[in-house]
Amino acid sequence: MFELTVPWWELVLRAAIMYIALIVLIRISGKRQIGELSPFDLILLLILSEAVQNAMNAGEESVTGGLILVCTLIGLNSFIGYITYKSKKAEDIIEGKPEILIRNGKLIESVAEDARITESELKSALRENGVFRIEDVKLAILENNGSVTVQSNDDKSHSIPSMLKKYR
C-alpha cells in the first residue's frame, strides 16, 4: 500500500513533464477554450485527466506514489502562480494578454481567428453584455480567461484611451 514500485524522483519528473506539457497545450489551444466549458470541452478535460494519469504514475498505485504526484502538481501550480505574480513578462507568456477584439464597431478579424471565436460565440458574448450589433460596440476586449468585456457606444463610463492603456 505504501511501498513504491518506481523511484520517487521518477514520479516527480513525470508529473512535472505532464504539468508543463498540459500548460503549453492549453495555452496553444486559445483563450476561447479556457473561458467557458462546452460539453465537448468537459469531455476533453475528463479524457485528458485519464490519459495523463497513466503517463504520470508509471503504473504506480501506492498511496505514497499518489501523494508524491499530488504534492508535485500542487507545488508546481503554486510555483507558477508565484512566478506570474512576481513577473509581468512571465504572466503574459503563461496566462496571455487581453486583446482588443472590436474597436469602434469594427471586428479585428485576426484576433478572432487566433482565438478561434465563431460568429455565434461573438454574438452571444455581445448579447450577454447588452449589445446586439457589432456596430454598436465602442470597444470589446478578449480577456485572458476567454470572456469578452464590452463597452457600447452609448456607455460613457470609460473613455477608450484610458481603457487602452492597459492593453498596449
Side-chain angles (χ1 to χ4, degrees), residues 19-159:
Y19 181 84
I20 291 167
L22 284 172
I23 284 179
V24 169
L25 291 171
I26 288 172
R27 182 74 180 89
I28 290 171
S29 74
K31 294 177 185 175
R32 185 183 68 81
Q33 301 297 326
I34 300 168
E36 293 183 18
L37 294 179
S38 71
F40 299 107
D41 296 330
L42 178 60
I43 290 169
L44 176 64
L45 283 176
L46 292 172
I47 293 170
L48 275 175
S49 67
E50 186 64 28
V52 300
Q53 173 195 357
N54 296 328
M56 284 191 304
N57 70 14
E60 177 63 53
E61 295 181 8
S62 71
V63 172
T64 305
L67 288 172
I68 290 171
L69 289 171
V70 166
C71 290
T72 300
L73 293 172
I74 290 174
L76 283 169
N77 196 58
S78 296
F79 178 68
I80 295 294
Y82 179 78
I83 287 173
T84 58
Y85 172 72
K86 288 292 191 181
S87 167
K88 176 75 171 129
K89 184 172 178 120
E91 179 184 25
D92 290 346
I93 291 169
I94 293 169
E95 295 181 9
K97 293 180 183 180
E99 297 179 273
I100 297 171
L101 187 58
I102 301 171
R103 179 183 285 158
N104 296 323
K106 304 280 187 225
L107 175 66
I108 301 173
E109 304 232 358
S110 61
V111 173
E113 286 175 14
D114 289 347
R116 293 184 277 298
I117 296 177
T118 66
E119 183 179 348
S120 63
E121 290 171 328
L122 179 58
K123 287 179 179 179
S124 175
L126 294 179
R127 286 191 304 272
E128 287 174 6
N129 284 277
V131 179
F132 294 89
R133 298 179 332 135
I134 290 176
E135 296 79 20
D136 296 333
V137 175
K138 183 184 284 189
L139 188 65
I141 298 170
L142 178 60
E143 303 292 352
N144 293 353
N145 64 2
S147 66
V148 178
T149 304
V150 178
Q151 180 186 20
S152 66
N153 285 328
D154 48 341
D155 181 4
K156 308 293 185 214
S157 60
H158 300 287
S159 67

